[in-house]
Amino acid sequence: MKITILGGGGFLGRKIAATLAAEGTLDGRRIAELTLFDITAPPMLAAPFPVRCLAGDITALPDDAIPRGTSVVFHLAAVVSAAAEEDYDLGLRVNLQGALSVIQACRTLVRAGDAPPRVVFTSSVATFSGGQFAQLGDDTRQVPTNSYGAEKAAAELLLQDASRRGFLDVVNLRLPTITVRPGRPNKAASSFVSSILREPLLGLKTELPVADDFAVWIASPRRAVEWLLHAAAMDTRAMGVDRAINPPGITATMGEMLAALDDVMTGGSSFVQHVRDPAIEAIIGLWPARFEQTRARALGFASHEPMDEMIRAFINDDLAATRAERGI
């Protein structure tokens, strides 16, 4: 089988690629070729199959980004939340026009006689509102309160309709806030959720822009990769028309996260300074922090690990590479 990762230079794209390279198969099928595509060419990796690393614009995908015979497309490319709020045109272009470009590329394959490829799309908890005390069911209506969430929700609908029409076979995975992210802080409004754990583990001071009792819906990189790979291999017939999944993350307050950090690293929370940021609160404060998980569990998505295990996983998987990347 041939697989493409759009956004293959991002941290989730790299982790998916590394897992596929290590295993050599997906759902028991041998991988014949992997294409990694991003705005700059992703780094090459060793694999038991050919790997192509391409650079380009997600809104104008070259034909070889999703070549003939592609079975699975991971569509991870995005402009993150605060950046999309700051630059409306850029968010629309990448987050919405990018999805349309993926649909058109898949239509081209089907018109040429290929089977509709499975498309795994990373949507977001930001497509919902309701705030801190809402608990959302599987059929809750999406009412985003930020441009990023609106663009992701619109892309979900377009991809779902394209799936209904037989151009592709989509699973829209509404990821929680991923933590602990390796590397550096980014322009996501939720970037601090990783920073308050990652920076102390690096021996660096950082700021917490919300109160200790502020709650978020989170997932670890390990679990997110597992969910994405499951979405690529699962039987979608059980999903029916609704192709979106709220995967089984966990709810955590900032205080609970800092307590877990102290359990793993004595005194870790002393590196975190409370500095309230109304602009950040205005974006992320309306995101819900609690979801029912009935449908995701019925479809085979794995439960989440406890917070201390999530932190230890970052130490084992990503801390050394993050130190090297940041010259620490």
Side-chain angles (χ1 to χ4, degrees):
M1 68 188 319
K2 294 182 181 180
I3 298 173
T4 285
I5 305 176
L6 305 173
F11 90 96
L12 279 180
R14 295 196 306 270
K15 284 182 175 291
I16 292 170
T19 301
L20 295 174
E23 297 182 357
T25 62
L26 177 62
D27 193 30
R29 298 170 60 191
R30 186 180 64 83
I31 299 170
E33 181 179 276
L34 175 64
T35 299
L36 306 177
F37 179 89
D38 216 315
I39 192 166
T40 58
M44 181 58 70
L45 80 160
F49 45 75
V51 178
R52 301 183 306 130
C53 300
L54 306 177
D57 185 340
I58 187 66
T59 66
L61 282 172
D63 291 342
D64 55 353
I66 306 179
R68 289 290 309 275
T70 296
S71 299
V72 176
V73 178
F74 292 96
H75 179 20
L76 316 178
V79 170
V80 293
S81 50
E85 196 70 16
E86 178 182 333
D87 191 334
Y88 182 69
D89 291 327
L90 178 63
L92 278 180
R93 193 171 71 81
V94 175
N95 295 336
L96 187 54
Q97 295 295 328
L100 291 171
S101 181
V102 173
I103 291 169
Q104 187 58 42
C106 293
R107 287 181 73 190
T108 299
L109 296 186
V110 171
R111 285 171 175 168
D114 283 8
R118 170 69 50 83
V119 174
V120 180
F121 174 57
T122 49
S123 187
S124 171
V125 62
T127 61
F128 293 101
S129 55
Q132 287 285 286
F133 302 106
Q135 177 159 329
L136 274 57
D138 286 322
D139 58 353
T140 299
R141 185 164 62 100
Q142 291 168 289
V143 185
T145 56
N146 57 92
S147 294
Y148 171 75
E151 292 149 8
K152 286 288 191 177
E156 278 191 37
L157 285 174
L158 291 166
L159 286 161
Q160 181 170 286
D161 186 57
S163 189
R164 177 188 65 84
R165 296 181 66 103
F167 306 149
L168 48 88
D169 178 19
V170 76
V171 178
N172 294 318
L173 203 59
R174 297 166 180 157
L175 290 179
T177 296
I178 304 301
T179 189
V180 181
R181 283 177 174 264
R184 302 174 183 274
N186 63 16
K187 290 189 175 182
S190 57
S191 182
F192 70 89
V193 180
S194 283
S195 293
I196 64 169
L197 302 176
R198 181 187 59 238
E199 306 306 285
L201 291 168
L202 294 169
L204 302 174
K205 298 284 187 180
T206 191
E207 295 180 352
L208 175 59
V210 296
D212 277 348
D213 62 355
F214 189 93
V216 288
W217 184 243
I218 61 173
S220 69
R222 278 188 183 180
R223 196 59 66 234
V225 168
E226 182 176 351
W227 292 336
L228 288 160
L229 292 171
H230 178 69
M234 65 183 286
D235 185 346
T236 56
R237 290 176 296 181
M239 298 183 74
V241 175
D242 183 0
R243 291 307 189 93
I245 294 293
N246 303 328
I250 56 172
T251 301
T253 66
M254 300 300 100
E256 289 169 341
M257 292 178 68
L258 292 176
L261 174 64
D262 284 335
D263 286 342
V264 175
M265 173 191 179
T266 302
S269 63
S270 65
F271 287 82
V272 179
Q273 179 183 7
H274 290 72
V275 181
R276 298 291 284 270
D277 186 333
I280 293 296
E281 288 188 39
I283 295 175
I284 194 173
L286 293 175
W287 297 0
R290 295 165 181 83
F291 286 81
E292 294 179 5
Q293 305 168 25
T294 305
R295 189 165 189 251
R297 293 181 187 281
L299 291 169
F301 287 86
S303 300
H304 205 278
E305 69 270 30
M307 274 186 290
D308 61 334
E309 291 183 23
M310 177 185 73
I311 296 169
R312 290 187 174 92
F314 170 76
I315 294 170
N316 292 332
D317 296 350
D318 296 307
L319 183 59
T322 296
R323 285 187 181 279
E325 177 186 339
R326 296 176 62 171
I328 298 172

